[in-house]
Amino acid sequence: MSFVLRGATIVDGTNSPGYQADVLVENDRIAKIGEIAAQEGVEEIDLTGLVLAPGFIDVHTHFDAQVFWDSQFTPSCWHGVTTVVQGNCGFGIAPMRPEDRFAITDTLARVEGMSLDTLEAGITWNFTTFPEYMEQIDRAPKMLNLATFVGHTPIRMYVLGADDSATREATPEEIAKMAELVGEAMDSGAIGFSTSQAPSHVGTKALPVSSRLASHEEVEALIKVVADKGRGVIEMTYGPEYPLVEAARISKKYGVRMTWGSLLTGLFGERGTAVGMLDASTDVGGDVWPQVSTRYITTQFHLRDSLLFWCPLPAFQEVLAAPDDKRQDLYRDPAWRDRAREEAYSGRYNPAFHELKKYSYYVEETTKHEDIKGKDLAELADERGVDLFDLILDIGLEENLETRFGVIIDNNDPVELEALLTDDRTLWGAHDAGAHVDTISDSCYTSHVLGRFVRDEKMMKLEYAVYRMTGHPADFFGFSDRGVIKEGNVADLVAFNPDTVAALEKQRVWDFPADGDRIVVHSRGIEDVWVNGELIRRDGVQIEDATPGVLVK
Ligand SMILES: [Zn+2]
């Protein structure tokens, strides 16, 4: 199968200036770039007025379970993404013993915001080991290319058992067994090892996700396995004992490439703090690339069980541990409220989250509070002469805990955000496609950047933005024949209209197994997309049954 693409401006993913040329694709490869004569049997495709770029590579996704029921990897496939990297933050569903399946799906439900019913209906459990899982996802029909980390949490659950893995450190023998399993996963094609130390990651039975119980010795022993392989990278999600400089130290000690997440404006302090952290890590050395998000971190929570950063507070752990029908009683109990309010305002339990009033809260989805939708709740609390914390609880209680509150958490300082996004020491990532599906949808970041930051705000040049979403991440992972438009490379391509490209409004849909709901965002201006030389989107319409994606090892 051959076709020639004509009339587009080629932005090739290297940050070089765009240029006009024809591109000949033969089978799954870019065969020729330049002036190409019409030939019999070669389809002509006119892309006049569009930009032709390499397909985007989303380095931070959580499609580990979704891959079983959504061959398209929605919503990523609507935004010009052609390769997704899953298994981030130490999560994944392999290796997994049958008796621990509930523990991992319950953990994913709590951490990734999918319904437990969706996961139970959607995952086909015909694997136990990581290599068996790799075989399954290799065989599964895929619209996009998929690469995967092996996650610390499932490895730990497999060796210690689900209960022990969430409550204790491992013995030297158990660490050795885990190291063996990480090695086996690498040999079966994992692109690296991931771990989470984030205090916000609370799993089954409201206990910390198991990777958080690991000693430094364990974390380093597992990282060393990847280092000793001489290929692959480490992904580490922030924890108080693993600041960016510590990641840099580990990277240097073992000579291993790492990415660390996430460096967001406001998360670690006032303007300048995030860039200061980058500088400090550069001083340490190593090969560590902190992930930055291109989106203002706007998320959602509701008081039934999606408590977000209130999770680590003891008072809210009590709520999560209580049966569903007892939660409203706790929220109404004045003694509980006094305790919870004090905890929320103190910032004691999660130094990364400072205090409650730092954030901007509003009602985002409601059937009962339309009159106050979108209004800043701190202002409303002042008007009503009540405390913000109590106002949020009361609004939720009046609507049977159904109210969905929006909250702008971080990464909304435009000055520092620009500094981070245009600093070549960072890796654009942290958009969490496939996770937190009931509260966020930042997987649209590619169309968001091209529309808002490139065209509307002129924060950066188009060539630079494309480079940061294609050639740069390809280089980071060593995807040597993807991410750049050049002869011989794989034909992962996106044609978009630079004048119209944009991420559209959030929508809640009920399209997951067992009627699971989620928030999705569609795109405008992402016209044509090819994966391995095969069309998956034409004139802005998805070709739903196209499955040219491969497992990238
Ligand atoms: Zn993540």
Side-chain angles (χ1 to χ4, degrees):
M1 195 189 63
S2 309
F3 55 91
V4 58
L5 305 173
R6 297 191 193 278
T9 300
I10 297 176
V11 173
D12 69 3
T14 65
N15 199 22
S16 312
Y19 63 99
Q20 291 274 326
D22 305 328
V23 174
L24 175 67
V25 174
E26 286 178 351
N27 302 315
D28 66 340
R29 299 275 155 172
I30 297 166
K32 193 173 175 213
I33 303 168
E35 220 170 290
I36 294 161
Q39 287 173 58
E40 207 175 313
V42 177
E43 191 190 349
E44 297 271 326
I45 299 173
D46 180 23
L47 300 179
T48 303
L50 303 182
V51 167
L52 184 67
F56 304 126
I57 298 171
D58 188 344
V59 308
H60 192 127
T61 78
H62 294 276
F63 285 117
D64 310 69
Q66 191 176 329
V67 61
F68 284 100
W69 68 81
D70 176 18
S71 63
Q72 299 188 53
F73 301 88
T74 56
S76 295
C77 65
W78 304 331
H79 298 275
V81 171
T82 56
T83 300
V84 293
V85 178
Q86 66 168 26
N88 282 278
C89 302
F91 299 125
I93 56 174
M96 197 55 55
R97 296 184 196 280
E99 60 268 31
D100 293 334
R101 284 173 188 165
F102 174 78
I104 193 66
T105 47
D106 189 39
T107 295
L108 294 180
R110 289 171 191 251
V111 179
E112 291 198 7
M114 285 179 192
S115 88
L116 198 54
D117 292 346
T118 292
L119 291 164
E120 283 178 349
I123 299 174
T124 311
W125 288 107
N126 45 9
F127 56 89
T128 303
T129 68
F130 192 86
E132 285 166 1
Y133 173 74
M134 287 295 268
E135 250 169 66
Q136 291 303 318
I137 60 172
D138 197 0
R139 259 207 302 270
K142 294 177 289 298
M143 181 176 276
L144 309 185
N145 302 313
L146 175 66
T148 187
F149 285 105
V150 57
H152 195 170
T153 283
I155 288 275
R156 211 164 190 278
M157 287 167 79
Y158 194 82
V159 173
L160 278 72
D163 285 346
D164 276 22
S165 77
T167 50
R168 68 165 172 91
E169 287 195 358
T171 64
E173 294 72 34
E174 287 165 338
I175 293 175
K177 182 67 193 156
M178 283 188 261
E180 201 180 295
L181 291 176
V182 171
E184 178 185 87
M186 290 300 293
D187 292 341
S188 72
I191 57 159
F193 168 75
S194 74
T195 185
S196 166
Q197 303 297 326
S200 58
H201 285 162
V202 176
T204 190
K205 298 184 181 168
L207 292 169
V209 297
S210 72
S211 59
R212 289 176 52 200
L213 274 294
S215 62
H216 284 252
E217 190 193 358
E218 175 185 328
V219 169
E220 293 197 22
L222 302 184
I223 287 173
K224 186 171 179 298
V225 176
V226 176
D228 290 347
K229 293 279 173 198
R231 62 162 194 90
V233 300
I234 305 296
E235 189 262 356
M236 175 181 270
T237 303
Y238 165 83
E241 292 177 31
Y242 294 89
L244 180 55
V245 286
E246 175 63 7
R249 188 195 66 77
I250 293 173
S251 164
K252 190 175 173 184
K253 180 174 173 189
Y254 295 100
V256 69
R257 173 166 286 183
M258 289 178 72
T259 179
W260 176 97
S262 301
L263 196 55
L264 306 176
T265 80
L267 180 58
F268 298 98
E270 58 196 15
R271 183 180 293 172
T273 307
V275 174
M277 289 166 66
L278 257 181
D279 292 340
S281 127
T282 305
D283 289 345
V284 172
D287 186 11
V288 61
W289 299 76
Q291 286 187 23
V292 295
S293 172
T294 65
R295 302 269 293 172
Y296 288 0
I297 307 298
T298 306
T299 184
Q300 268 194 351
F301 68 101
H302 58 77
L303 295 172
R304 185 173 298 283
D305 56 14
S306 171
L307 293 166
L308 211 66
F309 44 76
W310 286 356
C311 268
L313 275 51
F316 282 94
Q317 295 218 358
E318 223 176 285
V319 172
L320 289 174
D324 212 33
D325 57 339
K326 292 281 177 280
R327 291 177 184 173
Q328 296 202 28
D329 298 344
L330 281 172
Y331 289 138
R332 286 200 178 88
D333 174 17
W336 180 89
R337 274 202 191 198
D338 287 345
R339 206 151 25 91
R341 192 187 306 106
E342 192 277 326
E343 289 171 5
Y345 284 118
S346 75
R348 242 185 358 262
Y349 295 93
N350 189 342
F353 290 123
H354 305 286
E355 56 171 35
L356 183 74
K357 279 190 176 151
K358 180 175 170 247
Y359 305 113
S360 173
Y361 296 85
Y362 53 97
V363 171
E364 190 165 65
E365 291 182 49
T366 180
T367 48
K368 200 165 179 176
H369 300 290
E370 282 292 331
D371 53 320
I372 53 166
K373 202 169 159 180
K375 187 170 171 62
D376 184 82
L377 292 182
E379 277 172 31
L380 186 65
D382 281 348
E383 280 168 32
R384 293 187 181 173
V386 296
D387 189 86
L388 172 63
F389 183 78
D390 292 276
L391 177 66
I392 292 171
L393 292 182
D394 289 336
I395 290 172
L397 282 168
E398 281 164 32
E399 202 173 359
N400 198 24
L401 310 186
E402 300 295 330
T403 318
R404 290 176 188 271
F405 297 92
V407 50
I408 302 174
I409 312 175
D410 274 315
N411 217 38
N412 56 341
D413 174 348
V415 175
E416 191 161 50
L417 181 58
E418 178 170 347
L420 291 176
L421 292 180
T422 57
D423 190 315
D424 288 345
R425 296 173 294 179
T426 64
L427 186 67
W428 290 11
H431 298 102
D432 264 348
H436 318 298
V437 296
D438 64 339
T439 53
I440 63 170
S441 189
D442 287 343
S443 49
C444 61
Y445 74 101
T446 52
S447 1
H448 165 75
V449 164
L450 295 171
R452 179 162 169 179
F453 291 153
V454 174
R455 182 187 59 238
D456 298 346
E457 296 185 9
K458 300 187 172 43
M459 182 197 281
M460 63 188 84
K461 286 178 111 163
L462 177 63
E463 285 86 346
Y464 184 75
V466 168
Y467 163 64
R468 294 303 300 268
M469 301 190 290
T470 58
H472 192 250
D475 212 33
F476 173 81
F477 284 109
F479 297 157
S480 55
D481 57 359
R482 299 183 194 272
V484 172
I485 297 183
K486 82 174 191 203
E487 290 176 7
N489 267 12
V490 174
D492 290 341
L493 299 165
V494 53
F496 62 87
N497 184 334
D499 300 325
T500 62
V501 66
L504 303 179
E505 288 290 298
K506 283 181 190 172
Q507 270 178 280
R508 183 168 298 276
V509 293
W510 283 259
D511 63 348
F512 267 2
D515 287 327
D517 64 313
R518 58 175 177 155
I519 295 175
V520 297
V521 169
H522 280 272
S523 69
R524 185 175 60 217
I526 302 283
E527 300 298 337
D528 308 304
V529 182
W530 293 264
V531 174
N532 301 312
E534 196 177 320
L535 205 52
I536 64 155
R537 186 178 176 92
R538 182 65 177 144
D539 294 330
V541 180
Q542 215 65 26
I543 301 168
E544 309 238 330
D545 56 355
T547 55
V550 296
L551 186 61
V552 180
K553 294 184 175 181

